[in-house]
Amino acid sequence: MQSAGIIEIETRVRMAETDLMQVAHHANHFRWFEMARVEYLRTRGLVLKALIDQGILFPIKEVYCDYKEPARYDDELVIRAELIEFTKVKIVFTYQILRKLDNVLLATGKTTNVFTDLMGRISRLPDPVFNQLRK
Amino acid sequence: MQSAGIIEIETRVRMAETDLMQVAHHANHFRWFEMARVEYLRTRGLVLKALIDQGILFPIKEVYCDYKEPARYDDELVIRAELIEFTKVKIVFTYQILRKLDNVLLATGKTTNVFTDLMGRISRLPDPVFNQLRK
Amino acid sequence: MQSAGIIEIETRVRMAETDLMQVAHHANHFRWFEMARVEYLRTRGLVLKALIDQGILFPIKEVYCDYKEPARYDDELVIRAELIEFTKVKIVFTYQILRKLDNVLLATGKTTNVFTDLMGRISRLPDPVFNQLRK
Amino acid sequence: MQSAGIIEIETRVRMAETDLMQVAHHANHFRWFEMARVEYLRTRGLVLKALIDQGILFPIKEVYCDYKEPARYDDELVIRAELIEFTKVKIVFTYQILRKLDNVLLATGKTTNVFTDLMGRISRLPDPVFNQLRK
């Protein structure tokens, strides 16, 4: 599903993502956020691999997650990403992770990526790429 | 090294922790924070496995990380954790990740854990455990 | 797709699964094998979580993987698992990982799981569970 | 510790490395093997990052692991790697993972790396690098 600035993807909690507290380890939520973010950009015609090949990196600058309920092994998850800010120097998404079965909200989050050159220096996104995403 | 409420541990960035942008993937920082947090508690006589065996879980409630410089493959890292709040219902740490070679600050972060029973209901830490950590 | 003893699932290589050699880190193949194995068992009515709740664990005993071509970031993968041996004490699968785009074989593998009780002692699968999978 | 072709490193099982079966997930053993392998090469003067910068990659070709006893959360592990074959086109190691506390053998394994150029074509190690490791 996908509307204006929102995308939803689905995934299932893998055995390797759980820990001995019987729930998904909290670092995985950032991998799931990333999957949704990448998919969002893909649907807008932006393939990250192509950006890298042009010498543009987009490292993470800040991340936040609020865990409301545990994600458990084998749970089907819906990850919803919303683009909330996009300039030539940064891109900000918020996220919701829902349990598909009953639509319970498991976590919310926020990430900020910046654009840099291959040396890691902050750079401005070239107009063609910027305009493509702006659409 | 360890003073009042601070501990430092060291680790080295593993190949499996890097990604194709040639730096450590951002989800790993939360694993490193966790290593320092666990070590902090261990030095205070609190072994998390023992807590679990008593029916006390300590899930993550909130995490935050600000990435300042990339951690690269094979970098030796110093992870510094500081206990900044500790009550019977939650425990809050802040973190710094430094590159050992030149002491450059790579990231700062913050985590909040809560205490729950095995059903995931928020619970208060029993006095003996609380007092042991209070020392 | 699914025939006699074969199942196929699909997944996409995540950024967090790549490493600085620009390809998926080799440990991930075992996570993908596991996803296919779990799915195979699910289609036969065997939910691993339910087994665990009955006190039956199924730890990995042996794994092998032969890497033929790298899996790259964002590649869509087809993971094909085939049950090749199933007794009351062990379960053996072989695997193929294919790149969906051109059907190129990226890796082959094999895993053996055994059944144990919660103490880790080898045990025999109870008849009802065994017969359900035998079907 | 380190003798002729053997090295030992130590690590501790992280929370994020466990799964809901209460033990370290089996994919982690390959990360631990890699840590020992990298360390072995470092002690012989071979820094993998430097090789990559010279256009030499060393992808994994084959891996095997036999799991004898589970590695558990917080266990201190000794990972012993032994170089058993080294030519200009491949490098083979065997491994043992031991629980430090009581020296129990938890797993054994074997890996084969090959050398390739940046396009992934098998290549022969240049003489200077080969001779350095031969010493």
Side-chain angles (χ1 to χ4, degrees):
Chain A
M1 194 204 80
Q2 157 190 3
S3 75
I6 296 182
I7 198 171
E8 281 184 16
I9 62 159
E10 298 189 6
T11 194
R12 198 187 268 277
V13 180
R14 303 174 179 182
M15 176 72 73
E17 292 172 336
T18 61
D19 69 21
L20 60 78
M21 289 199 274
Q22 313 283 307
V23 300
H25 187 269
H26 62 280
N28 290 297
H29 294 62
F30 293 102
R31 297 160 164 253
W32 298 329
F33 290 167
E34 183 174 59
M35 289 166 65
R37 188 167 67 240
V38 164
E39 201 54 38
Y40 179 92
L41 296 174
R42 189 197 321 280
T43 62
R44 267 62 182 175
L46 194 64
V47 176
L48 296 194
K49 192 68 186 66
L51 263 196
I52 298 176
D53 292 343
Q54 289 177 253
I56 302 169
L57 300 182
F58 35 89
I60 279 282
K61 175 55 183 154
E62 271 185 293
V63 303
Y64 170 78
C65 187
D66 179 4
Y67 304 84
K68 297 179 182 303
E69 297 287 338
R72 295 181 189 281
Y73 170 59
D74 229 23
D75 277 354
E76 288 181 277
L77 305 179
V78 174
I79 299 120
R80 185 180 295 157
E82 180 168 9
L83 178 66
I84 61 161
E85 188 182 346
F86 173 50
T87 69
K88 284 185 177 173
V89 295
K90 74 174 175 177
I91 187 161
V92 182
F93 284 92
T94 55
Y95 306 87
Q96 290 183 306
I97 298 178
L98 302 140
R99 188 165 52 211
K100 192 180 176 187
L101 178 70
D102 53 12
N103 223 32
V104 166
L105 181 64
L106 304 183
T108 60
K110 185 176 176 182
T111 64
T112 302
N113 286 71
V114 290
F115 301 104
T116 72
D117 62 21
L118 296 176
M119 294 297 98
R121 285 176 300 235
I122 297 291
S123 66
R124 295 173 66 82
L125 212 54
D127 279 337
V129 179
F130 181 72
N131 292 332
Q132 181 163 29
L133 263 177
R134 255 296 175 233
K135 280 188 291 205
Chain B
M1 196 205 79
Q2 158 189 3
S3 76
I6 296 182
I7 197 169
E8 281 183 16
I9 62 160
E10 297 188 5
T11 195
R12 198 187 267 278
V13 178
R14 303 176 181 181
M15 176 72 72
E17 292 171 337
T18 60
D19 68 21
L20 60 79
M21 289 200 273
Q22 314 282 307
V23 300
H25 187 269
H26 63 280
N28 290 297
H29 295 63
F30 293 103
R31 297 159 164 255
W32 298 329
F33 289 167
E34 182 173 61
M35 288 167 65
R37 187 167 68 241
V38 164
E39 201 54 36
Y40 179 92
L41 296 174
R42 190 198 320 280
T43 62
R44 267 62 181 176
L46 195 66
V47 176
L48 295 194
K49 193 68 186 66
L51 264 196
I52 297 176
D53 292 343
Q54 288 176 255
I56 302 169
L57 299 182
F58 35 89
I60 279 282
K61 175 57 184 152
E62 270 184 294
V63 302
Y64 170 78
C65 187
D66 179 3
Y67 303 85
K68 297 178 183 303
E69 298 287 338
R72 295 181 189 280
Y73 170 58
D74 229 25
D75 278 354
E76 289 181 277
L77 306 178
V78 175
I79 300 121
R80 186 180 294 157
E82 179 169 9
L83 178 66
I84 61 160
E85 188 182 348
F86 174 49
T87 70
K88 284 185 177 173
V89 296
K90 74 174 174 177
I91 185 161
V92 182
F93 284 92
T94 56
Y95 306 86
Q96 290 184 306
I97 297 179
L98 302 140
R99 188 165 52 211
K100 193 182 176 187
L101 180 70
D102 54 11
N103 223 31
V104 165
L105 182 65
L106 304 183
T108 59
K110 186 177 175 182
T111 65
T112 302
N113 286 70
V114 291
F115 301 104
T116 72
D117 61 21
L118 295 176
M119 293 297 98
R121 286 176 300 236
I122 297 290
S123 67
R124 296 172 66 81
L125 212 53
D127 280 337
V129 178
F130 181 72
N131 292 331
Q132 181 163 29
L133 263 177
R134 257 294 176 235
K135 278 189 292 206
Chain C
M1 195 204 80
Q2 156 190 7
S3 76
I6 295 181
I7 198 170
E8 282 183 15
I9 62 160
E10 297 188 4
T11 193
R12 197 187 268 278
V13 179
R14 303 175 180 182
M15 176 71 75
E17 292 172 336
T18 61
D19 69 21
L20 60 79
M21 288 200 273
Q22 315 281 309
V23 300
H25 187 268
H26 62 280
N28 290 298
H29 295 62
F30 294 102
R31 298 161 163 251
W32 299 329
F33 290 167
E34 183 174 60
M35 288 167 65
R37 188 166 68 239
V38 163
E39 201 54 36
Y40 179 92
L41 296 174
R42 190 199 320 280
T43 61
R44 267 63 182 173
L46 194 65
V47 176
L48 296 194
K49 193 68 187 67
L51 265 197
I52 297 176
D53 292 343
Q54 288 177 254
I56 301 168
L57 299 182
F58 35 91
I60 279 281
K61 175 57 184 151
E62 271 185 292
V63 302
Y64 170 78
C65 187
D66 180 3
Y67 303 84
K68 298 177 182 304
E69 297 288 338
R72 296 182 188 280
Y73 170 60
D74 228 25
D75 277 354
E76 288 181 277
L77 306 178
V78 175
I79 300 121
R80 186 180 295 157
E82 179 168 11
L83 179 65
I84 62 160
E85 188 184 347
F86 174 49
T87 69
K88 284 184 178 174
V89 296
K90 74 173 174 178
I91 186 161
V92 182
F93 283 92
T94 56
Y95 306 87
Q96 289 183 307
I97 298 179
L98 303 140
R99 189 166 51 212
K100 192 180 178 188
L101 179 69
D102 53 11
N103 223 33
V104 166
L105 181 64
L106 304 184
T108 60
K110 186 177 175 181
T111 63
T112 302
N113 286 69
V114 291
F115 300 104
T116 72
D117 62 20
L118 296 176
M119 294 297 97
R121 284 175 301 234
I122 297 289
S123 66
R124 296 174 65 81
L125 212 53
D127 279 337
V129 180
F130 181 72
N131 292 332
Q132 181 163 28
L133 263 177
R134 256 297 177 233
K135 279 190 291 205
Chain D
M1 197 204 78
Q2 158 188 4
S3 77
I6 296 182
I7 198 169
E8 282 183 16
I9 62 159
E10 297 188 5
T11 193
R12 197 188 267 279
V13 180
R14 304 175 180 181
M15 176 72 74
E17 292 172 337
T18 61
D19 69 20
L20 59 78
M21 288 200 273
Q22 314 282 307
V23 300
H25 187 268
H26 62 280
N28 290 298
H29 295 62
F30 293 103
R31 297 160 164 252
W32 299 329
F33 289 167
E34 181 173 61
M35 289 166 65
R37 189 167 67 241
V38 164
E39 200 54 37
Y40 179 91
L41 296 175
R42 191 198 320 279
T43 62
R44 268 62 182 174
L46 195 65
V47 176
L48 296 193
K49 192 68 187 65
L51 264 196
I52 297 175
D53 292 342
Q54 289 177 252
I56 303 168
L57 299 182
F58 35 91
I60 279 282
K61 174 58 184 152
E62 270 185 293
V63 302
Y64 171 77
C65 187
D66 180 3
Y67 303 84
K68 298 178 181 303
E69 297 287 338
R72 294 181 189 280
Y73 170 59
D74 228 23
D75 277 354
E76 288 181 277
L77 306 178
V78 175
I79 300 120
R80 186 181 293 157
E82 179 168 9
L83 178 65
I84 62 160
E85 188 183 348
F86 173 50
T87 70
K88 284 185 179 174
V89 297
K90 73 174 173 177
I91 186 161
V92 183
F93 284 91
T94 56
Y95 306 87
Q96 291 183 305
I97 298 178
L98 303 141
R99 189 165 51 211
K100 193 181 178 188
L101 179 69
D102 53 11
N103 223 33
V104 166
L105 181 65
L106 305 183
T108 60
K110 185 176 174 182
T111 64
T112 301
N113 287 69
V114 292
F115 301 103
T116 72
D117 62 20
L118 295 176
M119 292 299 96
R121 287 176 299 235
I122 297 289
S123 66
R124 295 174 66 82
L125 213 53
D127 279 336
V129 178
F130 181 70
N131 293 331
Q132 180 164 30
L133 263 177
R134 256 295 177 235
K135 279 188 291 204

